[in-house]
Amino acid sequence: NYNQFGIDKALEQDYAISSKLSLSLKKMGELKNGKLSSVFGFDYTSFKLDTNPKYNRTFLQIDPRFEFDLNKVHLNLGFNAMFFMQANQPSQNYINPVIHVSYPILEGVAKLYAGIDGRYKKQSLKQLIGTNPFLNQYDLLNTYENIKTHLGVSSKFGSKADGLFEIAYADVSNMPLFVSKNDSLNSFTTLMTQVSVLKFSTAINYALTDKIKWGLSGNFYNYDVSNQTEAWQMPSFDAKSNLSLNIKDKCFPHLDILAFGTQQQKTEDLSKVNPTPKYSTIKPFCDISLGVDYKIKNRYSAFIQANNLLNNRYQRWYNYPVYGLNVIAGLTVKF
């Protein structure tokens, strides 16, 4: 992979390559379906801002795994290793154990699973701007998931329905939060801090028929933020639902609903020596979209979609209300 991303006076270039090697093992006593594997990755990133000297960062990733079945239990064991090097700085090594376990509570119907892992992750300007396009001040400190754990149940009811319930916890260093700047652009800056996140997730998918399918998923968050009162601009929950129809393999109507919970917001005038912060709450919102795709021929199709049917000028980012009701239509061609 190669990509170049530039905005304003900043230029970021990424070069990355990765490979996965695996080896299937013969049955060893009680161990079945054994497999040894490892991902090897190399990532080289250069960054330059205006007249400041360019600096380079190198990431080496090694993720070995040993998977096998023991009686009815499936285990995936190994570790995530990241070796980080930056010019004029000592190299840094991050190694996290990986343990994933699953067990069928009801054969073919319900499965209990749990796991623990962690990972050192590259932070990039492209990722930050992709998350919040209104940033104009940022810190590229890499994020470190010190520990991640999860426990859940997944279920499948024939070919028509499946569901999931999961509780997860993560302790993250240098997680980016977003603080509004009291400037003429209503721009944002990043606040890199340690955050503990407790998340409850649930999802269900149901096929009324082969032609009518419905899905619903949601995540509920509880944040514990080091040296901060709130996780700025992070939602208390998010949820989405989708209903899709297939009419004679030609016409495909779909209804999509997206919802976000309340978000706590902080504004600071960073031009002052000791700025006095201002706080507010961004209201929850619901966005409903309705669209239709029509297949003209195998390679050609047309579509029309109406977004924000409630005409709700909600804010995902403080001071930036979205478009009201809007409609888009077009043609799609496959080559």
Side-chain angles (χ1 to χ4, degrees):
N1 178 67
Y2 166 76
N3 73 77
Q4 176 176 295
F5 183 81
I7 185 169
D8 197 15
K9 299 179 180 180
L11 180 64
E12 181 180 71
Q13 293 179 301
D14 290 323
Y15 309 80
I17 186 171
S18 66
S19 178
K20 181 177 181 178
L21 305 178
S22 61
L23 172 67
S24 296
L25 303 175
K26 295 182 179 179
K27 180 180 177 181
M28 299 178 293
E30 296 295 323
L31 302 186
K32 300 178 182 179
N33 302 319
K35 184 171 73 171
L36 287 173
S37 65
S38 184
V39 173
F40 300 91
F42 172 83
D43 190 306
Y44 176 81
T45 302
S46 66
F47 181 82
K48 183 173 176 57
L49 178 60
D50 198 13
T51 58
N52 295 339
K54 179 192 294 185
Y55 70 86
N56 306 318
R57 300 183 296 169
T58 302
F59 301 82
L60 295 177
Q61 173 189 353
I62 304 176
D63 294 347
R65 296 288 189 273
F66 178 33
E67 295 182 61
F68 59 91
D69 294 328
L70 180 60
N71 295 324
K72 292 185 178 182
V73 179
H74 179 78
L75 292 102
N76 187 338
L77 310 176
F79 58 87
N80 296 327
M82 184 71 79
F83 305 93
F84 171 61
M85 290 154 282
Q86 185 170 321
N88 302 320
Q89 294 186 12
S91 62
Q92 302 173 43
N93 307 324
Y94 300 87
I95 300 177
N96 293 83
V98 174
I99 304 173
H100 289 177
V101 183
S102 63
Y103 176 79
I105 305 172
L106 294 173
E107 197 71 41
V109 176
K111 178 174 68 175
L112 177 69
Y113 63 90
I116 181 171
D117 58 44
R119 182 178 293 280
Y120 188 75
K121 290 186 173 181
K122 179 184 77 173
Q123 188 61 265
S124 72
L125 179 60
K126 182 180 180 181
Q127 291 171 339
L128 289 173
I129 297 297
T131 302
N132 184 338
F134 309 111
L135 279 174
N136 74 348
Q137 186 175 343
Y138 41 83
D139 197 332
L140 295 181
L141 288 174
N142 298 313
T143 298
Y144 184 31
E145 297 172 339
N146 305 290
I147 186 172
K148 288 174 58 182
T149 62
H150 64 271
L151 173 67
V153 176
S154 62
S155 57
K156 188 174 180 63
F157 304 98
S159 60
K160 287 192 172 184
D162 60 76
L164 175 144
F165 175 82
E166 181 181 290
I167 179 173
Y169 171 82
D171 181 61
V172 184
S173 296
N174 295 330
M175 178 175 169
L177 304 179
F178 301 97
V179 175
S180 176
K181 297 166 62 178
N182 188 19
D183 58 13
S184 59
L185 299 175
N186 292 327
S187 59
F188 286 82
T189 182
T190 55
L191 174 63
M192 314 297 283
T193 188
Q194 185 160 347
V195 181
S196 296
V197 185
L198 183 64
K199 181 173 75 169
F200 298 89
S201 302
T202 185
I204 184 171
N205 296 289
Y206 183 72
L208 284 77
T209 68
D210 292 340
K211 305 294 186 180
I212 305 175
K213 297 180 180 180
W214 171 76
L216 173 68
S217 63
N219 301 292
F220 303 86
Y221 306 93
N222 182 68
Y223 305 96
D224 184 7
V225 187
S226 174
N227 300 322
Q228 297 291 320
T229 55
E230 299 287 349
W232 308 119
Q233 290 278 174
M234 297 291 119
S236 56
F237 75 86
D238 60 64
K240 59 183 178 181
S241 180
N242 170 265
L243 176 65
S244 61
L245 287 73
N246 180 343
I247 302 175
K248 297 183 178 180
D249 293 327
K250 294 284 288 184
C251 185
F252 305 90
H254 54 90
L255 175 69
D256 300 280
I257 302 175
L258 173 67
F260 262 62
T262 57
Q263 302 169 73
Q264 301 303 317
Q265 188 287 129
K266 176 182 178 181
T267 300
E268 285 186 318
D269 188 347
L270 299 181
S271 64
K272 297 181 179 179
V273 178
N274 294 307
T276 301
K278 296 181 180 179
Y279 306 97
S280 60
T281 299
I282 300 177
K283 297 179 180 180
F285 65 83
C286 180
D287 190 316
I288 302 176
S289 301
L290 179 64
V292 178
D293 299 320
Y294 184 78
K295 186 177 180 181
I296 303 172
K297 290 186 177 181
N298 288 336
R299 293 173 53 188
Y300 306 97
S301 60
F303 68 91
I304 182 169
Q305 179 160 318
N307 303 302
N308 197 359
L309 295 179
L310 299 178
N311 197 31
N312 182 7
R313 297 299 300 274
Y314 62 84
Q315 299 181 65
R316 171 60 184 94
W317 301 105
Y318 182 65
N319 273 333
Y320 285 94
V322 301
Y323 289 121
L325 173 65
N326 61 93
V327 179
I328 185 171
L331 298 173
T332 301
V333 180
K334 295 181 180 179
F335 297 95

